[in-house]
Amino acid sequence: MDETLAAVLTYLPPPAVSTAATLSFSSSPDDAGEDRIGGLPDSLLRNIISRLPTRDAARTAALSSRWRSLWASTPLVLDDAAGELAPSAVAAALDSHPGPVRSARLASLQDPEVAASVFSSLAAKDVEDLLVVVNGSWPVEWSVPSDVLGCAALRRLWIGLCQFPDTSGQSPVLLSLEELGIVHSSVQDRDLHTLIPRCPELQILAFVLTQDYPRYVHIWSPSLCGVVLWKSKLREIHLDDTPNLDRLLVEPIADAATHIKIIKAPKLKILGYLDVGLHQLKIGNTVIKLGTKVKPSAMVRTLRTLALKVQFGVEDQVKLVPLLLKCFPCLETLYITVFHLSRRRVDHNVRQ
């Protein structure tokens, strides 16, 4: 499980704090004990504190009277994605800080009482950036508490190795959410389709290494700009009504066939990688397959960049490529990754 956690962490957004740097103080006879750092403006000191790991940031309050109130008046950055802090320490940090919470990266919160306390505090203290990843049992069984659905100030939410909260008992009010990522986790189709329409600011939706759920993703969103499906086993992705979507990025996984349907995406500019052997493309009511006559209603004239994966030597796949190109008559850049029968990979970049 530790290896799985390490792999999942590589797909998650980077932390808001730095753990690589070290803090040190050296003085010379000319300094005469002068606290030059303490003489900096409060705004700059708070900026420094916000970049420190949670333990170090809290400890600055003990440096001197000059520093005593700075940590409490700095938006909290709580970083424990590696699970190094005890759950009680995470809860204590939240209890001792008045908020708001700028960023929280959490692990090791499988104790129901501690988790309930932590997520209740996060919602009350206007958390803006939340990442939850749990190094627990496999398959993943721990669910994120439903309190997260009430975090009205939340702008970014990523979960890894968890179950998404059940929306049946609470309607999501994520009015500020701009980015949602699901990594090696599970979200029921019902919960996802309840959530998306209630996120009026959502711009990025990402699924990475998902295995069982979601299975069907049908999207109605006036704000969504980008959708990412990275090595995830989705059966269907439908762009039902996405007036501002400009990119659909797909990295297929072996033997995971996905139906991609473009119904209303008037600004779509980037699509790929479309695996000719795995993905079935449907534009409007037209399934793009050998023998299809491409009518104007089955053309996406806004698309400028297309990436394809084709297995060379499979005649049907090779023949399908020119047909696909007819669907995108205004294409400017075409990327083709060719797999030979020997599985040797050759990349081609073709510009019109």
Side-chain angles (χ1 to χ4, degrees), residues 210-278:
T210 60
Q211 298 293 319
D212 47 5
Y213 294 97
R215 294 180 179 177
Y216 308 99
V217 179
H218 293 202
I219 302 175
W220 289 266
S221 173
S223 59
L224 202 62
C225 297
V227 175
V228 179
L229 310 176
W230 194 262
K231 297 182 179 179
S232 293
K233 292 184 177 180
L234 290 175
R235 295 183 181 178
E236 293 181 3
I237 173 72
H238 288 190
L239 307 182
D240 294 281
D241 189 2
T242 54
N244 285 300
L245 189 79
D246 63 11
R247 56 198 179 278
L248 173 59
L249 307 180
V250 181
E251 175 62 26
I253 185 172
D255 302 324
T258 302
H259 291 188
I260 298 175
K261 186 175 182 179
I262 303 172
I263 301 174
K264 188 177 180 181
K267 293 185 180 180
L268 186 64
K269 295 180 180 179
I270 301 173
L271 173 61
Y273 269 96
L274 189 65
D275 191 314
V276 177
L278 285 177

Side-chain angles (χ1 to χ4, degrees), residues 168-188:
S168 59
Q170 179 180 354
S171 296
V173 288
L174 300 177
L175 301 180
S176 302
L177 192 68
E178 298 175 357
E179 185 176 321
L180 174 63
I182 310 296
V183 183
H184 217 329
S185 300
S186 179
V187 50
Q188 296 292 326

Side-chain angles (χ1 to χ4, degrees), residues 83-229:
E84 296 175 351
L85 296 176
S88 58
V90 174
L94 279 169
D95 289 341
S96 61
H97 196 284
V101 180
R102 180 164 68 90
S103 175
R105 295 166 60 89
L106 304 174
S108 303
L109 287 177
Q110 297 184 69
D111 183 293
E113 293 185 4
V114 174
S117 173
V118 166
F119 281 91
S120 177
S121 293
L122 289 172
K125 295 178 179 179
D126 295 331
V127 62
E128 295 182 5
D129 186 343
L130 178 59
L131 183 151
V132 185
V133 56
V134 173
N135 189 12
S137 60
W138 183 261
V140 294
E141 298 177 352
W142 187 83
S143 294
V144 178
S146 59
D147 282 326
V148 74
L149 300 175
C151 295
L154 193 62
R155 295 184 179 276
R156 182 167 70 171
L157 172 62
W158 283 74
I159 70 168
L161 297 173
C162 306
Q163 296 275 355
F164 197 81
D166 185 355
T167 62
S168 59
Q170 179 180 354
S171 296
V173 288
L174 300 177
L175 301 180
S176 302
L177 192 68
E178 298 175 357
E179 185 176 321
L180 174 63
I182 310 296
V183 183
H184 217 329
S185 300
S186 179
V187 50
Q188 296 292 326
D189 299 338
R190 175 199 66 236
D191 295 325
L192 183 65
H193 295 139
T194 299
L195 176 69
I196 292 177
R198 290 174 170 80
C199 299
E201 302 297 325
L202 187 64
Q203 297 180 22
I204 302 296
L205 177 63
F207 301 95
V208 181
L209 303 175
T210 60
Q211 298 293 319
D212 47 5
Y213 294 97
R215 294 180 179 177
Y216 308 99
V217 179
H218 293 202
I219 302 175
W220 289 266
S221 173
S223 59
L224 202 62
C225 297
V227 175
V228 179
L229 310 176

Side-chain angles (χ1 to χ4, degrees), residues 67-99:
W67 290 79
R68 192 163 298 149
S69 63
L70 290 173
W71 178 69
S73 62
T74 302
L76 181 61
V77 177
L78 183 59
D79 188 359
D80 185 40
E84 296 175 351
L85 296 176
S88 58
V90 174
L94 279 169
D95 289 341
S96 61
H97 196 284

